[in-house]
Amino acid sequence: MQGYLWFAAKRFIQLLAVIFFGVSAMFVVTYLSPIDPVEQVLGRLSARSNLSPEAIAATRLALTEMFGTDQPVLTQYVNFWSRLLRGDLGASLMAFPTPAMELVLRAMPWTLGLLLTSTAITFVVGNLAGGLAGYFQNSRLLKAFGIVTMGLQPIPYYIVAFIILIVFGYLWPVLPISGGFAMDVRPGWTLPFILSVLQHSLLPALSLVLVGLGGWFIGMRALVSNIVTEDYVTYAELAGVRRDTIVGDYVIRNALVPQVTALAMVIGGVFSGTVITEQVFNYPGMGSLLVDAVNAGDYSTVLAVCTISIAAVALAIFIVDLLHPLLDPRVRAE
């Protein structure tokens, strides 16, 4: 137990380091951006109303003090981390004066729900099918499943999303192709709203699942194909152990260990695919918010989205790392 706690402590330190350096890199990128947040807000305010030169000067001074753009970069960096630890990354430029973090917190449940659901389905179905295909190598059904998934795996997320959009939006319009829920449904923990959310999330989740199945299927089938030749599997078969026990406890469980490690490495890629998919289906998640913020030059919201994304992906990888020793006794022993 003490060894596992030491392992978890080291992984936690790595988690903090990844978040620190990742967020710091995002700060440097946004600082080097040629977009001036003060002029962005002034431009929006001037377009809405006619401001006098005195009002513009006073507003520019107030905004400069609020964003801190007149301070040295080191001071801005320290103030950034101070505000970040308080959960305040400033006002959003495209929805001024709404706080950028408030916009992110509104969009985050949509992205987390889509990402977690699609990743879980892809991981479970892909590994289960790959494990069965590696053990039952003469199954025609599993061979056909493998051909389809491996054919879809190299296709980019957005291509699959566009194909699904065309099929279910024009050729066979049975599912909604845009938004997070129906416009005539009031948001809340009610059955109509939950059913509407599930209905609108089917196509975005389907595009992520279809692209992700192939990688898990190929990896698991290759691992199982090697494991079935091991002596302990052959001995279990000769000893009359039940087939489902051999497949589940002897084969798939041992092959699942490197797949869990791979899960930690692909989470970031799945998140980037979620960003593109949300934009294609106009899904109200962090991906759509990020694209809108980039197009609007809203560096406060971009920084907030990227900060939360870095922390969420790093935390997911940290959790997967903690699960690894629980699945592999050899790692726990070390």
Side-chain angles (χ1 to χ4, degrees):
M1 184 64 181
Q2 184 177 0
Y4 181 75
L5 292 178
W6 175 242
F7 170 82
K10 291 190 295 184
R11 289 296 184 270
F12 182 72
I13 294 174
Q14 292 179 1
L15 168 67
L16 297 181
V18 168
I19 294 176
F20 175 77
F21 289 108
V23 174
S24 298
M26 286 306 308
F27 172 82
V28 173
V29 171
T30 54
Y31 176 79
L32 297 177
S33 172
I35 297 175
D36 187 347
V38 175
E39 298 302 326
Q40 285 282 332
V41 177
L42 278 178
R44 294 179 182 273
L45 293 177
S46 300
R48 296 176 184 175
S49 59
N50 295 324
L51 298 177
S52 63
E54 294 78 8
I56 293 177
T59 304
R60 178 179 286 107
L61 180 60
L63 291 174
T64 301
E65 293 178 355
M66 183 181 68
F67 288 106
T69 55
D70 58 335
Q71 299 175 348
V73 59
L74 183 59
T75 304
Q76 294 186 40
Y77 179 71
V78 173
N79 292 336
F80 162 74
W81 274 104
S82 176
R83 290 186 286 107
L84 177 60
L85 295 177
R86 300 195 307 267
D88 177 20
L89 286 178
S92 170
L93 303 184
M94 62 181 182
F96 189 82
T98 305
M101 191 61 71
E102 181 178 337
L103 297 179
V104 174
L105 293 179
R106 292 177 189 172
M108 186 167 58
W110 298 95
T111 297
L112 288 180
L114 181 62
L115 178 63
L116 295 178
T117 302
S118 59
T119 303
I121 294 175
T122 305
F123 183 80
V124 173
V125 175
N127 283 295
L128 180 60
L132 294 177
Y135 190 81
F136 302 101
Q137 299 181 3
N138 296 323
S139 173
R140 294 183 178 180
L141 178 61
L142 293 173
K143 286 182 179 179
F145 181 84
I147 292 174
V148 174
T149 55
M150 287 187 292
L152 292 172
Q153 192 264 339
I155 303 177
Y157 288 100
Y158 60 90
I159 298 296
V160 176
F162 279 128
I163 294 174
I164 293 176
L165 190 66
I166 294 173
V167 172
F168 291 98
Y170 300 98
L171 301 180
W172 191 31
V174 295
L175 291 173
I177 60 174
S178 178
F181 56 92
M183 297 181 63
D184 58 346
V185 177
R186 183 186 297 272
W189 293 105
T190 60
L191 183 60
F193 177 73
I194 294 176
L195 293 177
S196 180
V197 170
L198 292 176
Q199 189 179 23
H200 282 74
S201 65
L202 285 177
L203 295 185
L206 180 62
S207 65
L208 295 173
V209 169
L210 290 178
V211 175
L213 279 176
W216 295 118
F217 180 89
I218 297 172
M220 193 64 171
R221 188 182 62 178
L223 292 169
V224 170
S225 298
N226 294 326
I227 291 178
V228 294
T229 60
E230 295 289 341
D231 294 339
Y232 64 88
V233 177
T234 304
Y235 179 79
E237 293 174 341
L238 296 176
V241 179
R242 293 176 53 183
R243 183 64 61 86
D244 57 345
T245 301
I246 295 176
V247 174
D249 296 341
Y250 288 70
V251 178
I252 293 183
R253 182 177 179 181
N254 286 283
L256 196 61
V257 174
Q259 292 294 83
V260 173
T261 304
L263 177 62
M265 295 186 291
V266 304
I267 288 178
V270 175
F271 179 80
S272 63
T274 306
V275 171
I276 300 174
T277 301
E278 287 180 358
Q279 187 65 16
V280 172
F281 291 99
N282 194 27
Y283 201 71
M286 295 174 62
S288 298
L289 179 63
L290 177 61
V291 174
D292 293 340
V294 171
N295 292 333
D298 186 355
Y299 89 100
S300 297
T301 304
V302 171
L303 194 58
V305 172
C306 293
T307 299
I308 297 299
S309 302
I310 291 171
V313 173
L315 181 61
I317 296 175
F318 171 70
I319 294 174
V320 173
D321 282 341
L322 294 185
L323 293 176
H324 194 197
L326 301 179
L327 295 175
D328 191 351
R330 295 169 299 180
V331 177
R332 187 164 61 247
E334 293 176 359

